[in-house]
Amino acid sequence: MKIKFKNIDYWILIPFLLLAAIGIVMVYSASSSAATLQGLQSTTYLKRQIIFVIIGLFLCTFFYILKINMLRSKFFVPYFFLFVVGLLIFLLILKHFKPSVAVNGAAAWIHLGPINVQPLELAKLSLVLYLAKIYSSRMLRIRQLPFQKMMKEILPPLFLTSIIIYLTLKQPDLGGAASLAAIMLLMSFASGMDLKYVLGIVVVLSTAFGFGYFWLKQQVLNGSSASSYQIQRLLSFYHPFQLEKAGGSQLVNSYYAINNGGLWGRGLGNSIQKLGYLPEPYTDFILSITSEELGVVGVIIILGLLFILIARIVYLGLRADEVYLSLLSYGIATILFVQTVFNVGGLLGVLPITGVTLPFISYGGSSMLVLSCCMGIMLNVSIKLRQQKNLN
């Protein structure tokens, strides 16, 4: 145990701790005014985020000292996967019988008193663990068998993965579904599957998301309020200023925040856009507030730390001899990468606004706890590779 902590991978640990600390500071700065307007103490979200980080550190430590083979146990992986599917189904049932649980048009949270659980975050981790186990055990057959027999190997896991994506789309949560689809796609490619089959999966997923987009649009035309919020956020990135009063205000105020900050920012706590102009500035638009207060320099530091983290995890995946460890690394790197791209792309207007949060920085317990588990797993992978003398 002492050896494990003595040889911990600082290329993962330090960026993780720095990002968590920056997240605590920025959550307080971005949420204090909003909390006051909600009739709460200005430190409410700060206290909650600190608790999330502390619990996250315990979870990170637990997954670091855990034997890595426990994660691919024939009991743990399927039961965890089924548990997540059960939570997603429960959300849809809850939405049907109690429509008021929907927040901003999507039923994505299970409310347990003061705690809100977002099954999507658990779904990301369960999908990585499931695909890493399945693909690593079937890799040789996937690479060597003829097409028909190969399809028998990959169709069952792809079908089960599609169920999770479908249940997420039905919330509706396009950003979450797209994140899950990206995990499935990249892990399928990393498993050694022929590129033409991966492209086939891309076509199928693109078609599914196309139907999902037009379904949401039709819901708006039919006057369904449950989906109108989602489609307005999707459409507003085309013409944010023209649609400012119909869903584009978040993106417009994001632009204002970034412009106000300039290179060095207005100073910590001095954001204007968080004062009622940018709704819930401590969640998916927290980087806009960061840009306004800490400038482009502050944003570059945050994105730089995320890049170091993702690059290190990918490096570990490349150096691993075991296929399982490689796929595990690529899957966790994909979670971080996709969330970062979707979040930054949304606030810049390059991608539709889908409500995807920024890893470690945005307020949220489910995301922080799951990402902390991911960091513990990657620290565990790193020490295992060091023990195998695969790293310098």
Side-chain angles (χ1 to χ4, degrees):
M1 188 67 68
K2 290 182 179 179
I3 296 176
K4 213 170 188 182
F5 282 98
K6 183 179 179 181
N7 295 307
I8 197 166
D9 192 336
Y10 291 103
W11 287 100
I12 293 176
L13 181 64
I14 292 177
F16 166 46
L17 295 177
L18 288 175
L19 285 166
I22 294 171
I24 289 173
V25 173
M26 290 314 305
V27 163
Y28 175 58
S29 179
S31 69
S32 56
S33 298
T36 302
L37 291 174
Q38 295 169 14
L40 303 172
Q41 294 181 351
S42 61
T43 57
T44 297
Y45 292 104
L46 167 67
K47 293 175 181 177
R48 291 178 184 175
Q49 190 70 4
I50 291 174
I51 292 172
F52 296 150
V53 171
I54 292 173
I55 297 174
L57 291 175
F58 278 107
L59 287 173
C60 178
T61 303
F62 172 76
F63 279 95
Y64 180 48
I65 63 178
L66 187 72
K67 288 185 178 181
I68 199 75
N69 288 333
M70 293 290 292
L71 296 176
R72 50 179 161 183
S73 164
K74 64 180 180 179
F75 298 104
F76 173 72
V77 174
Y79 283 118
F80 183 37
F81 191 88
L82 289 174
F83 173 70
V84 170
V85 172
L87 289 178
L88 293 172
I89 293 174
F90 175 74
L91 272 177
L92 296 183
I93 296 173
L94 195 63
K95 179 184 177 183
H96 177 76
F97 290 101
K98 192 178 179 182
S100 61
V101 299
V103 178
N104 295 334
W109 291 268
I110 297 175
H111 304 286
L112 302 173
I115 302 173
N116 296 328
V117 178
Q118 189 175 16
L120 170 65
E121 301 302 329
L122 292 173
K124 294 174 185 176
L125 180 56
S126 71
L127 189 57
V128 169
L129 295 175
Y130 172 71
L131 291 179
K133 175 179 170 57
I134 294 295
Y135 282 152
S136 62
S137 63
R138 303 182 183 184
M139 184 194 68
L140 291 177
R141 298 196 292 275
I142 290 174
R143 291 181 176 180
Q144 297 176 359
L145 289 176
F147 176 74
Q148 290 184 344
K149 293 184 177 180
M150 187 272 290
M151 291 303 292
K152 291 181 180 179
E153 297 290 336
I154 67 169
L155 281 180
L158 291 181
F159 174 73
L160 292 175
T161 301
S162 299
I163 291 176
I164 286 187
I165 295 174
Y166 173 75
L167 292 173
T168 305
L169 273 174
K170 288 289 289 181
Q171 293 179 3
D173 185 349
L174 285 179
S179 299
L180 295 171
I183 292 170
M184 179 180 74
L185 181 64
L186 290 177
M187 291 191 70
S188 298
F189 178 73
S191 70
M193 192 183 299
D194 195 299
L195 182 58
K196 61 185 177 184
Y197 302 140
V198 177
L199 291 176
I201 297 175
V202 172
V203 172
V204 172
L205 289 175
S206 300
T207 303
F209 277 100
F211 278 115
Y213 174 83
F214 286 109
W215 176 78
L216 279 174
K217 189 173 182 179
Q218 189 62 41
Q219 294 297 303
V220 175
L221 295 176
N222 293 336
S224 172
S225 60
S227 300
S228 61
Y229 180 84
Q230 301 292 326
I231 199 68
Q232 285 172 357
R233 294 187 89 183
L234 279 173
L235 295 176
S236 64
F237 90 104
Y238 287 113
H239 307 288
F241 289 93
Q242 291 90 326
L243 298 174
E244 183 175 356
K245 294 183 179 180
S249 61
Q250 285 182 309
L251 185 53
V252 170
N253 283 294
S254 173
Y255 288 156
Y256 289 151
I258 296 170
N259 181 68
N260 290 342
L263 183 62
W264 299 104
R266 298 173 54 86
L268 188 63
N270 294 327
S271 167
I272 297 174
Q273 298 308 119
K274 69 181 181 184
L275 302 176
Y277 297 100
L278 195 57
E280 298 184 353
Y282 46 90
T283 55
D284 42 327
F285 278 90
I286 195 169
L287 196 62
S288 299
I289 303 302
T290 303
S291 178
E292 186 175 11
E293 296 187 350
L294 304 182
V296 175
V297 173
V299 172
I300 289 175
I301 291 173
I302 291 173
L303 296 182
L305 290 170
L306 284 168
F307 173 79
I308 291 171
L309 203 52
I310 294 169
R312 181 61 177 179
I313 293 172
V314 171
Y315 173 74
L316 293 174
L318 291 171
R319 294 300 299 271
D321 287 336
E322 292 185 46
V323 177
Y324 175 76
L325 297 181
S326 292
L327 292 176
L328 201 57
S329 302
Y330 298 147
I332 291 175
T334 301
I335 292 176
L336 292 171
F337 177 76
V338 170
Q339 279 194 223
T340 302
V341 169
F342 281 10
N343 180 269
V344 176
L347 63 89
L348 291 177
V350 178
L351 295 173
I353 300 169
T354 53
V356 176
T357 56
L358 187 64
F360 305 108
I361 305 299
S362 296
Y363 170 80
S366 298
S367 177
M368 175 58 71
L369 298 184
V370 169
L371 289 175
S372 297
C373 293
C374 291
M375 293 304 99
I377 292 171
M378 287 316 306
L379 288 170
N380 204 334
V381 170
S382 178
I383 195 66
K384 186 175 179 64
L385 296 182
R386 285 173 181 268
Q387 290 171 349
Q388 295 173 346
K389 298 182 180 180
N390 284 340
L391 291 177
N392 293 325

